[in-house]
Amino acid sequence: MRKALSLARRGLGKVHPNPMVGAVLVKRGQVIGEGFHEFFGGPHAEANAIQSAHDKAPGSTLVVTLEPCAHYGKTPPCAELIVRNKVKEVVVGALDPNPLVSGKGIRFLKKAGLQVSAGILNKECEALNKDFNFWMRRKMPYVIVKRAQSLDGKIATKTGESRWISGEAARIFSQRLRAECDAVMVGINTVLRDDPLLSVRHRRNSPQPIKVILDSHLRVSPKARIFSKDSKGPVILAVTQQASEKRRKLFQGKAVILEVKEKNGRVSLRALLSELAKQGVLRVMIEGGGEVIAEAFAEKLVQEVCVFIAPKIIGGRQAVNAVAGEGIRRLQDALELKEMRFERVGRDLLIRGRF
């Protein structure tokens, strides 16, 4: 199962909105086939493992990280393929939360006479697709907040300068985090101040996330770098009804204008994330600014936090804080991270945790 998990991770960033899955075929104590879900719309892990076994599948044991599907989608049902190839036993890591699958794959295999066991390394197999599971169960994207800040919690000086608080190693690591997401999200003030590209640039042919800009009144410039050739990947401009038709016409062919209901005169972040989930967006990384991050925390929309802390002191009452908004009145209302991990990335410290 650990080998199957390792195989599954090779599909990271390539299979969304499908889950990552790995499979291993074993016979007489020897691995005779292996495979993983390589890209969205392509053969599933079980099919790739069976194909790699070259007709040796009869009488074997299939170890797979996720319950085999029993319905027709972009590919035929894997459960039927397993039975047809006379596999005698199936070992499953985690059940599929998709109501089209959940429990049905295992019932199909048992009814066909196969020996089936489930829950092997269940925690690890569940964690592998935490975004997919969350999306299926909550109908919302799995949201990560990513920040680079100074030791005293600043993300820019009092003049707005922010390049670069973190070191080069942390910036490369951040590019990897982007590549793992379906969408990156920032507020309009971040675009106006920093004019970022918001694309993945650390490796060629990397999947490019959707760039989502919260811009209630459509203030972004048509000449912003997110629309340039250097910034690859689609752009969504999330606006309210207050965005004029004249301004909207400026972005034809440049971006998708997504009108979202408003809250307190601005784009409702909850409504926007709900709409993105309907479009198959599983994982969203919010990169700024402080007001957007504050709203995400206040609305309890965040599942994970990645904070790079640079060994720098910026200081100043007018310097920009990592999290803006009104803040809490009582410490007992503070959001507290669980399952925290600490890692040295170049000269910076990375803290990752989940709520």
Side-chain angles (χ1 to χ4, degrees):
M1 188 62 80
R2 294 193 194 284
K3 184 175 182 64
L5 280 164
S6 178
L7 287 165
R9 294 187 187 100
R10 292 166 64 179
L12 183 64
K14 302 172 185 176
V15 300
H16 281 191
N18 283 352
M20 292 181 284
V21 184
V24 178
L25 269 177
V26 181
K27 194 172 185 178
R28 300 189 185 93
Q30 299 294 319
V31 172
I32 61 168
E34 59 184 47
F36 66 100
H37 188 27
E38 299 179 14
F39 58 92
F40 177 67
H44 289 186
E46 300 94 323
N48 285 330
I50 288 171
Q51 183 180 28
S52 74
H54 302 297
D55 300 325
K56 296 178 183 178
S60 65
T61 296
L62 175 70
V63 180
V64 61
T65 57
L66 190 68
E67 176 183 5
C69 63
H71 70 288
Y72 281 87
K74 288 188 174 294
T75 62
C78 289
E80 290 185 6
L81 180 69
I82 293 167
V83 172
R84 195 163 58 247
N85 281 271
K86 300 179 181 179
V87 173
K88 73 171 185 179
E89 182 181 2
V90 177
V91 178
V92 176
L95 296 182
D96 193 330
N98 185 344
L100 292 173
V101 181
S102 189
K104 297 176 184 177
I106 287 178
R107 287 196 296 272
F108 180 92
L109 294 171
K110 286 183 175 180
K111 190 175 180 180
L114 278 73
Q115 182 180 340
V116 182
S117 54
I120 310 303
L121 295 185
N122 178 261
K123 187 176 180 180
E124 292 90 333
C125 291
E126 281 271 345
L128 176 70
N129 290 301
K130 58 191 176 185
D131 49 2
F132 174 80
N133 297 336
F134 188 87
W135 178 68
M136 271 292 172
R137 292 167 179 154
R138 304 289 186 89
K139 311 305 179 188
M140 290 285 280
Y142 185 92
V143 175
I144 303 168
V145 163
K146 192 272 291 183
R147 285 275 66 181
Q149 64 183 53
S150 63
L151 199 58
D152 55 340
K154 308 296 184 181
I155 59 173
T157 67
K158 63 181 181 180
T159 62
E161 184 180 352
S162 60
R163 294 179 179 170
W164 295 101
I165 289 177
S166 58
E168 183 179 3
R171 297 198 296 276
I172 293 173
F173 196 103
S174 295
Q175 292 283 310
R176 284 169 46 198
L177 291 176
R178 272 186 191 168
E180 295 172 5
C181 294
D182 299 316
V184 294
M185 180 182 294
V186 297
I188 180 58
N189 289 331
T190 297
V191 176
L192 295 177
R193 182 185 68 237
D194 298 338
D195 198 18
L197 287 170
L198 297 179
S199 53
V200 178
R201 303 179 298 279
H202 75 292
R203 64 183 183 217
R204 292 182 179 180
N205 302 319
S206 173
Q208 293 292 335
I210 303 167
K211 294 177 276 291
V212 182
I213 316 300
L214 281 74
D215 190 4
S216 301
H217 299 86
L218 208 48
R219 293 187 290 151
V220 66
S221 167
K223 296 181 180 179
R225 292 209 301 163
I226 56 170
F227 305 118
S228 69
K229 292 181 180 179
D230 293 331
S231 180
K232 301 172 183 178
V235 179
I236 292 178
L237 298 175
V239 304
T240 66
Q241 60 182 0
Q242 300 176 58
S244 70
E245 195 61 37
K246 181 179 179 181
R247 289 287 299 169
R248 296 183 192 214
K249 289 180 180 178
L250 296 176
F251 300 95
Q252 290 182 353
K254 291 178 176 288
V256 172
I257 305 293
L258 180 61
E259 185 174 311
V260 181
K261 74 177 183 179
E262 62 183 67
K263 181 178 182 181
N264 300 325
R266 299 186 299 183
V267 167
S268 165
L269 189 53
R270 182 177 292 277
L272 172 58
L273 289 169
S274 177
E275 183 58 40
L276 291 175
K278 293 175 185 175
Q279 297 183 19
V281 173
L282 274 64
R283 185 187 295 215
V284 174
M285 187 160 71
I286 300 178
E287 297 197 26
E291 292 292 340
V292 177
I293 290 174
E295 182 182 351
F297 283 136
E299 291 283 325
K300 293 183 170 56
L301 297 169
V302 182
Q303 284 70 58
E304 187 174 334
V305 173
C306 297
V307 179
F308 293 94
I309 300 179
K312 296 177 181 178
I313 302 292
I314 293 177
R317 296 186 185 90
Q318 302 303 315
V320 184
N321 291 317
V323 182
E326 294 296 321
I328 60 171
R329 292 181 179 272
R330 303 176 302 173
L331 276 176
Q332 69 184 49
D333 296 328
L335 297 172
E336 187 173 350
L337 288 175
K338 308 291 183 183
E339 304 177 29
M340 289 199 299
R341 289 188 291 152
F342 304 87
E343 183 178 348
R344 182 82 177 265
V345 182
R347 65 182 186 180
D348 303 314
L349 174 67
L350 171 61
I351 300 178
R352 301 185 76 167
R354 299 176 66 188
F355 290 113

